[in-house]
Amino acid sequence: MTGRSEDNLRRRIIETCLGMNRLGVNQGMAGNVSARLGDGLLITPSGMPYDAMKPADIVFLDADGQPHGERNPSSEWRFHYDILRHRGDAGAVLHAHAPFCTTLACLGREIPAFHYMVAVAGGDSVRCAPYATFGSQELSDNALTALDGRKACLLANHGMICIDRDLDAVLALAVEVETLARQYCQALQLGEPVILPAAEMRRVLEKFKTYGKQPAGS
């Protein structure tokens, strides 16, 4: 029997899935979402429509990656498990087949520093991980490498991954990264965008350490 906080987290995962489809970050049953729970994680089930999901359909993976629940976990459970195991700063993982991110990923292109907001993902680019078969350990390893020092990456010929402290933050980040991908694709239609120099991106990244933070008590 799940506790109230776990049941709420299960519901929030479903809301996040519905939100990423509503906001155009994902379509249909593509994509998957997870959130840290104790030493394990909760993750969306495999091949189930989001609007049909109930809290009990969300699968718990324990510290050893073993599933518990009524459903099979997402086919991409490996990179969710590996990311949350290796990235202590992450509380949630979102994977989507976002249209513009996927367009760039199918070209093997990263998102460079064409706009200062690229820093929202933690660096001066959103890297594109090399292709590997979905659900494989190789894909998970490639994603972890691409996410080193970053909160988002593209997956070649596949889609995108975002990580952040919680479900609200990871959905907001996914919207930002997809918006950047769309803007970059549009800029490429007119020519090769001007890339901001490394020194400027270092300044932006430093400013982003306090970006959006308000004084205590405000």
Side-chain angles (χ1 to χ4, degrees):
M1 185 174 180
T2 63
R4 182 173 297 178
S5 60
E6 180 180 337
D7 188 66
N8 181 63
L9 189 57
R10 290 169 177 267
R11 294 180 185 278
R12 288 289 297 114
I13 287 173
I14 296 170
E15 291 169 4
T16 302
C17 292
L18 293 169
M20 69 178 181
N21 277 19
R22 183 179 67 253
L23 293 168
V25 175
N26 193 65
Q27 310 80 39
M29 294 186 294
N32 26 79
V33 173
S34 68
R36 191 185 300 279
L37 181 66
D39 292 334
L41 62 97
L42 293 171
I43 188 168
T44 46
S46 179
M48 189 171 185
Y50 298 138
D51 58 3
M53 284 184 194
K54 306 298 182 188
D57 296 316
I58 303 300
V59 182
F60 177 67
L61 294 183
D62 64 25
D64 296 319
Q66 295 302 308
H68 301 265
E70 301 174 6
R71 307 289 183 184
N72 292 323
S74 166
S75 59
E76 301 290 15
W77 69 267
R78 288 181 186 276
F79 65 62
H80 287 265
Y81 173 76
D82 287 345
I83 289 169
L84 290 173
R85 185 175 58 170
H86 288 93
R87 291 289 297 264
D89 58 325
V93 180
L94 182 154
H95 166 54
H97 296 177
F100 288 96
C101 283
T102 303
T103 298
L104 293 172
C106 288
L107 295 170
R109 296 189 72 140
E110 67 175 14
I111 304 176
F114 79 103
H115 192 291
Y116 77 88
M117 280 297 290
V118 167
V120 76
D124 60 2
S125 67
V126 178
R127 302 184 186 110
C128 184
Y131 178 79
T133 305
F134 78 94
S136 66
Q137 186 62 55
E138 182 183 6
L139 177 61
S140 182
D141 294 343
N142 291 350
L144 276 172
T145 299
L147 285 167
D148 184 32
R150 304 285 196 274
K151 297 197 297 181
C153 73
L154 307 183
L155 303 175
N157 306 93
H158 190 156
M160 57 98 89
I161 297 175
C162 289
I163 66 175
D164 217 316
R165 63 184 182 276
D166 57 33
L167 291 165
D168 288 336
V170 82
L171 179 58
L173 178 60
V175 171
E176 291 277 10
V177 173
E178 174 64 356
T179 299
L180 287 164
R182 174 172 55 81
Q183 293 166 342
Y184 184 49
C185 285
Q186 290 172 336
L188 285 170
Q189 293 179 35
L190 299 177
E192 199 63 35
V194 175
I195 304 302
L196 294 172
E200 174 59 17
M201 289 305 291
R202 285 194 295 271
R203 283 191 287 270
V204 172
L205 285 163
E206 186 63 28
K207 291 172 72 69
F208 264 47
K209 290 179 180 179
T210 56
Y211 181 79
K213 295 180 181 178
Q214 301 297 328
S218 63

